[in-house]
Amino acid sequence: MTKPALTLYLAAPNGFCAGVDRAIKIVEMAIEKWGPPIYVRHEIVHNKFVVDGLREKGAVFVEELDECPDDRPVIFSAHGVAKAVPAEANRREMVFVDATCPLVSKVHIEAERHHQNGLQMVMIGHAGHPETIGTMGQLPDGEVLLVETADDVATLTPRDPAQLAYITQTTLSVDDTAGVVEALRARFPQIVGPHKEDICYATTNRQEAVKAVAPKVDALLVIGAPNSSNSRRLVEVARANGCAYAMLVQRATEIDWRAIDGIQTVGLTAGASAPQVLVDEVVDAFRDRFDVTVERVETAKEDIEFKVPRVLRETA
């Protein structure tokens, strides 16, 4: 029986970014250096496949520091942590390694600098997301006001409307965030913005690639975890750019084949915390059912690499 023809448009860049790659290496090198178990506060990155793989190697994932023993190393996730967390680890004389993405750390430094200059912060981000919690936790309570949408700007009650600055979560929708920034500038004309956009290069690049693919396809799949902010934004970007059927799947086993029955073009991308092996798995699943032609749609090249902390590069 001949398979139906299908063109698979692979958005590029996709998958791992430099911050995720670095965070995973940190856990692997820590296990190698100190032996298992190594404790990791929060999922190192938002991907079940990655987390399960590290767990098999000897990583123990916990939500809070009080679940960790004093005598084993602990790693802080790529999303960043509030200042109180390393302070508590120091108090307990724990060995810890901070795997916070350097681009998230950049936002932390911005917030600190604005605070020292007497400005109150407005953070554009998702309530409850680990990155938002970590960034807001860089400053004292009340010094960071959170907004999620442009509508939230109308309800802000800053200490002094003339003494404000804004920062953003690094994994937001570029287009949605532009709308929130516009609302902030309209209501608070003196608000100070970042020198360079806080939304990270990887988030921006993956969204631009999806914008290029979405109008070409009948359906688009995003490989990523339900709790991955950047992956969920890719689904939204696809829908906003002309693709009526866009779905988030963690693995090939989650693809709803009935929903894409009869279609001839599919877009495929992966969030910044999804490994290449899962992309290959989905492509293979399509090849099993269709006569597949893969077309790569590349909108940017990425060659950024972040070094792991010195403590892991030194011999024990």
Side-chain angles (χ1 to χ4, degrees):
M1 181 178 164
T2 54
K3 297 175 185 175
L6 181 132
T7 303
L8 191 64
Y9 289 93
L10 183 62
N14 67 62
F16 276 2
C17 63
V20 164
D21 198 44
R22 172 181 179 268
I24 293 165
K25 273 185 195 157
I26 285 172
V27 179
E28 290 173 339
M29 290 172 76
I31 293 168
E32 200 175 308
K33 177 167 183 165
W34 290 302
I38 294 292
Y39 285 76
V40 185
R41 186 189 176 278
H42 192 71
E43 287 186 347
I44 188 71
V45 296
H46 284 156
N47 187 278
K48 184 179 185 300
F49 181 86
V50 171
V51 168
D52 286 349
L54 292 172
R55 191 178 280 120
E56 284 173 18
K57 292 178 180 179
V60 178
F61 292 89
V62 298
E63 284 305 305
E64 296 298 341
L65 205 60
D66 58 18
E67 298 170 63
C68 304
D70 291 350
D71 61 349
R72 292 305 304 161
V74 62
I75 294 166
F76 305 145
S77 85
H79 307 101
V81 293
K83 271 189 175 177
V85 177
E88 174 63 9
N90 275 323
R91 188 193 69 76
R92 289 171 58 185
E93 298 182 348
M94 300 172 80
V95 172
F96 65 89
V97 183
D98 189 353
T100 301
C101 172
L103 299 178
V104 174
S105 297
K106 177 182 86 72
V107 179
H108 291 182
I109 292 163
E110 275 175 43
E112 186 77 55
R113 180 171 53 82
H114 287 312
H115 175 63
Q116 287 169 356
N117 290 335
L119 302 181
Q120 191 176 19
M121 301 303 308
V122 176
M123 177 163 191
I124 306 168
H126 296 294
H129 189 277
E131 185 186 329
T132 300
I133 294 167
T135 301
M136 293 182 72
Q138 299 305 302
L139 302 183
D141 286 351
E143 287 303 308
V144 187
L145 307 172
L146 181 66
V147 294
E148 295 193 77
T149 66
D151 290 343
D152 292 342
V153 174
T155 62
L156 276 180
T157 52
R159 193 169 50 237
D160 180 349
Q163 294 288 307
L164 285 177
Y166 74 87
I167 50 175
T168 78
Q169 189 178 322
T170 62
T171 54
L172 301 178
S173 157
V174 174
D175 295 337
D176 290 350
T177 304
V180 182
V181 170
E182 198 176 312
L184 281 170
R185 291 197 183 284
R187 189 172 168 210
F188 308 109
Q190 291 169 275
I191 195 165
V192 178
H195 292 306
K196 187 174 180 297
E197 187 56 64
D198 286 339
I199 296 173
C200 81
Y201 79 92
T203 298
T204 303
N205 288 349
R206 280 148 193 70
Q207 289 179 19
E208 288 302 315
V210 165
K211 286 179 187 178
V213 168
K216 301 175 187 284
V217 297
D218 301 315
L220 188 140
L221 300 181
V222 177
I223 303 167
N227 60 341
S228 165
S229 173
N230 80 85
S231 300
R232 290 172 62 181
R233 302 295 80 76
L234 292 174
V235 174
E236 295 167 4
V237 168
R239 290 173 183 162
N241 285 272
C243 183
Y245 183 87
M247 289 301 294
L248 183 69
V249 295
Q250 296 196 74
R251 302 197 62 167
T253 50
E254 293 186 3
I255 298 171
D256 183 352
W257 296 106
R258 288 170 302 176
I260 55 178
D261 186 44
I263 66 171
Q264 296 176 315
T265 54
V266 172
L268 179 62
T269 189
S273 45
Q276 182 63 39
V277 64
L278 298 187
V279 178
D280 295 341
E281 179 186 272
V282 169
V283 173
D284 288 344
F286 273 95
R287 289 195 194 281
D288 288 343
R289 292 166 175 80
F290 298 91
D291 178 12
V292 174
T293 302
V294 176
E295 288 202 22
R296 185 176 166 88
V297 180
E298 186 171 54
T299 54
K301 288 198 181 294
E302 294 179 350
D303 56 5
I304 292 173
E305 192 176 335
F306 297 133
K307 284 184 178 177
V308 299
R310 184 180 285 120
V311 67
L312 294 173
R313 288 182 270 134
E314 295 167 345
T315 52

